[in-house]
Amino acid sequence: MSVLVYTESDQGKFKKVALEAASYAKAIANELGTTTTAVTINADDTSELGKYGVDKVLKVSDPKLESFSAKSYADVLKQAAEKEGTKVIVVSSSINSKYLSPILAIGLDAGLVSNVVELPLSSSPFIVKRTAFTNKALEQCQINTDVKIVALSTNSFGLIENSAAAITEDFAPSILDSGVSVKSVDKATDKVTIADAEIVVSAGRGLKGPENWGMIEELAEVLGAATACSKPVSDLGWRPHSEHVGQTGKPVACSLYIAVGISGAIQHLAGVSASKVKVVVNTDPEAPFFKAADYGIVGDAFEVVPALIEKLKDFKLQNA
Amino acid sequence: MKILVCISHVPDTTSKINFTDGDTKFDASGVQFVINPNDEFGLTRAMWFKEKQGASVDVVNVGGPETEPTLRKALAIGADAAIRVNGPATDGFSVAKQLAKVINDGNYDLIIAGRESIDYNGGMVPGMVAALTNSNFVTNCIGLEIEGNTATVSREVDGGKEVVTAELPLVLGGQKGLVQESDLRIPNMRGIMMARKKPLTVHEPVETSSETNSVSFEKPAAKGAVKLIDADNIDELLDLLHNEAKVI
Ligand SMILES: Cc1cc2nc3c(=O)[nH]c(=O)nc-3n(C[C@H](O)[C@H](O)[C@H](O)COP(=O)(O)OP(=O)(O)OC[C@H]3O[C@@H](n4cnc5c(N)ncnc54)[C@H](O)[C@@H]3O)c2cc1C
Ligand SMILES: Nc1ncnc2c1ncn2[C@@H]1O[C@H](COP(=O)(O)O)[C@@H](O)[C@H]1O
């Protein structure tokens, strides 16, 4: 009966979204009067999960699961759910969790709802609130199946500490052949990703050309932030496509989003508006982004950004 | 090679989103509908396989008669034939069931869908279709080559990309990168004329149920006014971010 949560790890370490999913699963388990079971795949130290309310860990360690496969991972979760007699499964909105959850849903005849932003509004009927129309609306959605899968939006619930035992049990499911083989991976390991970043520094066409991105990278470095850009900037080849954020690019749901020289077109705003605090730097006081921002500076990026970098360096020294 | 491109019919990205019937239904009045952008990238890549490798390309939508202009647009871009499964698209699962039937009946080798549709943002139809038809599945695709029975696909992962291979039949969730923005085609007069003569077949839906249903919609709470800070007063911004917003 316990609520099952998939706690994703990377190089053996839990991702922040996994701990958020665990916190959320614990809160649902409390409402349903049951316990929380986490499934880990090739994670090192599972005791950390207790801090976020996990009562039991099903620890899967198998070299065949070394590279992520949606099909085989979904099947592992299916076996775990069946073993536990689970009715509610929680996953995060990471790229991989989004990849596997529809396969898991079919495997378990479970109704799946993505982009969920709050605890269920009611458990019978089971109704959750999710974002739709790329953050332009919220939808209440009812799941009618016996088993339910809830995919939690990143940074919508937060990490909640909740001490529990996290008793670890080794779990050795059968492993399906994935059907998809990974040939090469090209990942910058030294940079924070847009998906994981607390802070994202983003710049648009207002920067005039790719040669001016040095200050954006420096600002990101001082803040420990990821860098991003508007769509035309990636279409023009000034920055890689992987930095394109917005409705047709990557979604951003960070704590602090700093937009420099971005006008704030509706398609851009839709994709970044789930971020908690937005700061805009733009020469044009009429730029639409000011209406969607929390803090704004009307000014020239080429003056404001270098000044901001200097002040932040001092600030970091004082608050170190 | 037989390719099927799944087309979702969505409000244009600039649309104002409103609801009717006591906030239980999307208000389509005055809204311009388009091919879901992620599907348009997939359709454009499919045109390349048609022109360079002799593939046939069908498009499919699950929806009411109002989606036909969107399917005609896909025909005008160059698809050979269109299928509309005549049923409301009630949830991801029921749409996937209808698509699985079309795929099994049509013996398609490659099914190109989008990473997600920009209306309900479910992000689940392609994965469900793959599971229902027992096909291989790769999503967040930003590059695709096919040789014989093997597809080589680049896909976006957190912080980078990876290259994978998979045998056909294969279901893809595509996005920008599959082709570039500048490769997208605007239908020309000849394409539009030809599209009128191409087959658009209506299939009756198979019996299925919805696993989830919409209860109601609401707009996000209005945002408070922006606090403007003088460009010469960066200290104030840092103070606000530190003490008020608590994000640095
Ligand atoms: C189907 C579709 C999907 C789209 N999806 C996306 C998406 O996902 N993401 C996205 O970003 N866009 C998307 N767009 C594009 C979007 O409509 C805008 O064109 C785009 O966001 C504008 O980018 P920008 O703000 O960088 O450029 P611009 O609109 O050109 O704005 C540049 C801004 O920089 C300011 N500026 C100029 N000089 C300076 C300076 N020295 N200092 C400070 N500010 C300065 C200007 O005042 C202006 O506000 C989409 C469009 C369509 C049609
Ligand atoms: N009603 C539909 N008809 C045909 N294809 C669809 C439909 N809904 C979704 N799809 C396909 O599935 C993808 C993902 O949609 P979704 O799961 O709704 O986010 C879309 O980009 C389409 O390719």
Side-chain angles (χ1 to χ4, degrees):
Chain A
M1 255 309 283
S2 74
V3 173
L4 197 77
V5 54
Y6 170 43
T7 41
E8 196 174 324
S9 52
D10 187 24
Q11 317 276 340
K13 303 241 165 345
F14 291 111
K15 294 189 142 199
K16 188 182 153 211
V17 289
L19 305 177
E20 187 181 22
S23 308
Y24 180 80
K26 172 66 177 176
I28 295 191
N30 283 345
E31 287 195 359
L32 298 177
T34 182
T35 55
T36 311
T37 301
V39 183
T40 67
I41 299 180
N42 293 344
D44 301 334
D45 177 13
T46 55
S47 63
E48 188 188 2
L49 295 175
K51 210 161 95 189
Y52 300 96
V54 171
D55 300 293
K56 177 169 147 189
V57 181
L58 292 178
K59 183 174 185 181
V60 181
S61 313
D62 196 315
K64 289 201 283 295
L65 296 170
E66 192 169 306
S67 56
F68 174 80
S69 146
K71 193 169 158 189
S72 353
Y73 275 46
D75 192 59
V76 166
L77 294 176
K78 174 175 185 261
Q79 292 175 59
E82 283 167 352
K83 172 176 144 71
E84 294 291 298
T86 294
K87 300 291 179 215
V88 178
I89 302 172
V90 175
V91 297
S92 77
S93 290
S94 72
I95 262 190
N96 287 348
S97 288
K98 280 193 152 179
Y99 190 1
L100 68 78
S101 48
I103 304 174
L104 179 62
I106 297 297
L108 289 170
D109 289 323
L112 163 65
V113 175
S114 57
N115 306 335
V116 171
V117 290
E118 285 178 17
L119 277 178
L121 303 168
S122 87
S123 54
S124 170
F126 196 90
I127 299 178
V128 285
K129 195 183 269 195
R130 67 186 296 271
T131 58
F133 298 94
T134 328
N135 295 312
K136 290 184 209 166
L138 292 158
E139 179 189 15
Q140 289 188 17
C141 191
Q142 179 172 327
I143 312 184
N144 302 313
T145 45
D146 185 34
V147 181
K148 299 153 182 82
I149 306 178
V150 179
L152 180 68
S153 257
T154 306
N155 271 338
S156 60
F157 192 71
L159 300 186
I160 297 185
E161 297 208 6
N162 223 321
S163 135
I167 296 161
T168 298
E169 185 179 309
D170 286 324
F171 178 48
S174 61
I175 312 282
L176 271 190
D177 188 28
S178 92
V180 176
S181 32
V182 179
K183 294 294 159 191
S184 65
V185 183
D186 178 7
K187 252 203 227 184
T189 44
D190 55 332
K191 278 184 88 182
V192 211
T193 66
I194 293 173
D196 290 337
E198 286 291 324
I199 304 179
V200 174
V201 178
S202 189
R205 205 150 50 180
L207 252 66
K208 315 278 189 288
E211 66 281 5
N212 296 324
W213 247 263
M215 62 181 188
I216 297 300
E217 281 177 342
E218 191 179 350
L219 177 57
E221 198 181 312
V222 178
L223 287 164
T227 50
C229 69
S230 67
K231 177 168 175 285
V233 163
S234 71
D235 289 340
L236 288 161
W238 295 358
R239 298 296 290 177
H241 283 300
S242 55
E243 284 197 0
H244 162 198
V245 296
Q247 189 166 17
T248 53
K250 281 207 174 72
V252 183
C254 59
S255 306
L256 171 61
Y257 183 75
I258 303 181
V260 181
I262 298 178
S263 58
I266 189 164
Q267 299 95 346
H268 186 89
L269 294 180
V272 305
S273 66
S275 301
K276 295 221 163 60
V277 175
K278 284 160 286 247
V279 174
V280 173
V281 178
N282 197 304
T283 41
D284 176 9
E286 301 297 321
F289 216 141
F290 284 113
K291 291 205 175 62
D294 301 278
Y295 304 104
I297 295 185
V298 178
D300 185 343
F302 296 97
E303 286 158 24
V304 174
V305 174
L308 187 55
I309 293 169
E310 288 317 308
K311 295 280 184 187
L312 269 170
K313 282 183 178 162
D314 294 345
F315 173 86
K316 290 274 157 177
L317 285 178
Q318 282 162 26
N319 291 275
Chain B
M1 180 168 55
K2 282 189 76 176
I3 303 178
L4 181 70
V5 183
C6 304
I7 303 278
S8 114
H9 157 94
V10 299
D12 172 65
T13 54
T14 55
S15 305
K16 294 263 180 300
I17 303 299
N18 290 304
F19 302 98
T20 65
D21 291 14
D23 284 334
T24 58
K25 285 204 176 59
F26 174 66
D27 182 0
S29 57
V31 170
Q32 167 106 20
F33 280 83
V34 296
I35 300 176
N36 184 41
N38 291 317
D39 305 344
E40 196 177 351
F41 292 113
L43 176 64
T44 311
R45 186 67 191 148
M47 287 301 107
W48 188 92
F49 289 107
K50 175 178 160 160
E51 286 153 16
K52 300 283 185 334
Q53 297 188 357
S56 72
V57 179
D58 292 353
V59 291
V60 61
N61 171 263
V62 180
E66 71 281 0
T67 72
E68 288 190 5
T70 301
L71 285 173
R72 287 277 175 217
K73 185 176 173 204
L75 292 172
I77 289 172
D80 300 303
I83 298 165
R84 179 172 69 81
V85 181
N86 186 27
T90 44
D91 74 338
F93 173 75
S94 61
V95 168
K97 277 275 211 194
Q98 303 301 343
L99 294 173
K101 170 82 166 64
V102 171
I103 292 159
N104 286 331
D105 289 352
N107 275 312
Y108 292 96
D109 305 296
L110 177 66
I111 294 91
I112 306 182
R115 168 191 79 181
E116 77 170 22
S117 54
I118 62 162
D119 52 359
Y120 293 93
N121 312 121
M124 60 180 76
V125 168
M128 288 181 166
V129 165
L132 289 169
T133 57
N134 228 334
S135 314
N136 288 325
F137 173 50
V138 183
T139 193
N140 295 99
C141 300
I142 51 173
L144 169 67
E145 303 294 338
I146 292 173
E147 233 175 81
N149 213 34
T150 309
T152 303
V153 190
S154 320
R155 73 174 216 100
E156 199 163 86
V157 296
D158 283 341
K161 62 178 180 180
E162 66 181 24
V163 177
V164 301
T165 58
E167 298 293 295
L168 307 181
L170 172 68
V171 178
L172 296 180
Q175 62 184 55
K176 189 176 85 170
L178 218 37
V179 298
Q180 298 308 323
E181 184 77 18
S182 52
D183 298 324
L184 294 178
R185 303 175 181 193
I186 298 161
N188 57 22
M189 209 47 194
R190 185 163 166 271
I192 295 167
M193 297 299 287
M194 278 170 63
R196 291 196 190 143
K197 297 201 195 87
K198 290 180 180 171
L200 190 165
T201 323
V202 179
H203 292 196
E204 280 315 308
V206 290
E207 184 103 14
T208 176
S209 57
S210 293
E211 294 188 328
T212 62
N213 64 276
S214 253
V215 178
S216 63
F217 295 93
E218 67 198 81
K219 298 281 199 65
K223 188 137 193 77
V226 59
K227 274 194 189 162
L228 287 180
I229 295 121
D230 201 86
D232 300 326
N233 202 355
I234 305 263
D235 285 326
E236 189 191 341
L237 176 67
L238 296 191
D239 181 59
L240 287 167
L241 292 177
H242 185 62
N243 294 315
E244 187 179 80
K246 300 194 173 16
V247 286
I248 60 169

